[in-house]
């Protein structure tokens, strides 16, 4: 039977700075990074659109030689292609955030869901979480740990479904290819 001191030592050892962080913690921390990258990408997209407008106004305002016109048209085309790539990147990043939100929403316990939403989606720190949820720090960390474990189970079930969907897709694709041959 573990004494209280043994329990504290066990808790301290399992959460030491040398142990790797929970994989779901890493997965959820990416939300803040993704949001920053979305903002930066949108800023870049706005600058590209401004450059595109300047380039197209130059094309229509000035009579150009064939060599210059080709260079300017190619530059304008490259800008448009970059814009399309950036829009796709933003879409993928937003989808990654949405996927995390959907998985949190699938968790069975409302308090565990709330902890993860407030911490990772809304960016509240430990003291704000304790105040908002009316719990102490120890209770918060227990709840947070259980929430990460619940999310891991949801994540695993999503992964299994995605693998089954992908395998079904691969099977259907193989049958279609064989019929065409």
């Amino acid at each position: 039977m573990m004494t209280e001191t043994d329990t504290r030592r066990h808790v301290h050892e399992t959460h030491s700075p040398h142990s790797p962080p929970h994989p779901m913690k890493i997965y959820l921390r990416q939300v803040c990074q993704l949001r920053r990258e979305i903002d930066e990408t949108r800023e870049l997209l706005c600058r590209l659109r401004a450059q595109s407008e300047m380039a197209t106004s130059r094309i229509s305002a000035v009579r150009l030689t064939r060599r210059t016109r080709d260079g300017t048209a190619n530059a304008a085309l490259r800008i448009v292609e970059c814009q399309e790539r950036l829009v796709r990147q933003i879409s993928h990043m937003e989808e990654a955030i949405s996927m995390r939100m959907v998985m949190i929403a699938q968790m069975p316990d409302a308090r565990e869901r709330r902890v993860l939403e407030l911490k990772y989606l809304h960016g509240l720190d430990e003291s704000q979480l304790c105040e908002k949820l009316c719990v102490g720090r120890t209770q918060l960390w227990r709840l947070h740990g259980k929430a990460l474990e619940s999310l891991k189970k949801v994540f695993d079930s999503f992964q299994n479904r995605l693998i089954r969907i992908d395998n079904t897709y691969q099977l259907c694709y193989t049958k279609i290819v064989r019929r065409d041959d």
Side-chain angles (χ1 to χ4, degrees):
M1 178 174 223
M2 289 184 107
T3 65
E4 188 176 333
T5 308
D6 292 336
T7 305
R8 283 188 196 147
R9 189 177 309 128
H10 176 71
V11 168
H12 179 69
E13 289 170 1
T14 57
H15 295 292
S16 72
H18 302 294
S19 63
H22 195 285
M24 292 295 99
K25 193 182 248 187
I26 295 168
Y27 185 69
L28 290 172
R29 283 182 180 162
Q30 293 171 346
V31 170
C32 292
Q33 179 184 351
L34 286 167
R35 286 186 174 150
R36 276 193 304 275
E37 287 180 22
I38 287 170
D39 291 341
E40 291 170 4
T41 306
R42 284 189 175 135
E43 286 178 29
L44 180 58
L45 188 58
C46 287
R47 287 194 304 250
L48 274 174
R49 286 184 175 144
Q51 288 177 354
S52 177
E53 287 174 15
M54 287 176 27
T56 54
S57 67
R58 284 187 206 138
I59 291 172
S60 61
V62 179
R63 184 175 178 182
L64 302 169
T65 65
R66 181 174 182 179
R67 195 183 105 238
T68 308
R69 185 175 34 231
D70 290 343
T72 306
N74 286 336
L77 183 61
R78 283 194 307 272
I79 291 172
V80 169
E81 289 170 349
C82 283
Q83 288 175 352
E84 290 171 354
R85 277 196 309 269
L86 291 175
V87 168
R88 281 193 305 272
Q89 280 181 322
I90 290 170
S91 175
H92 290 301
M93 289 185 278
E94 287 173 339
E95 186 178 325
I97 291 172
S98 295
M99 191 64 172
R100 286 159 174 81
M101 293 169 72
V102 166
M103 282 195 269
I104 289 173
Q106 296 294 316
M107 293 172 55
D109 187 277
R111 286 186 63 161
E112 291 176 3
R113 263 195 322 267
R114 189 80 176 132
V115 167
L116 297 183
E117 287 171 353
L118 292 173
K119 181 170 178 60
Y120 297 104
L121 302 180
H122 299 288
L124 270 61
D125 63 21
E126 183 179 303
S127 61
Q128 292 170 322
L129 283 168
C130 288
E131 183 181 324
K132 192 90 167 169
L133 299 170
C134 301
V135 296
R137 288 186 173 190
T138 305
Q139 191 177 0
L140 174 69
W141 285 112
R142 279 190 210 125
L143 187 59
H144 180 257
K146 285 172 43 180
L148 291 174
E149 287 303 316
S150 294
L151 184 65
K152 176 77 170 111
K153 290 176 185 173
V154 172
F155 179 83
D156 290 342
S157 76
F158 266 73
Q159 289 293 93
N160 289 337
R161 279 187 262 161
L162 291 174
I163 290 169
R164 280 193 302 254
I165 290 168
D166 189 47
N167 288 340
T168 303
Y169 171 76
Q170 291 294 336
L171 183 61
C172 292
Y173 179 76
T174 306
K175 288 179 181 178
I176 291 169
V177 171
R178 286 184 186 158
R179 284 185 193 150
D180 291 342
D181 289 343

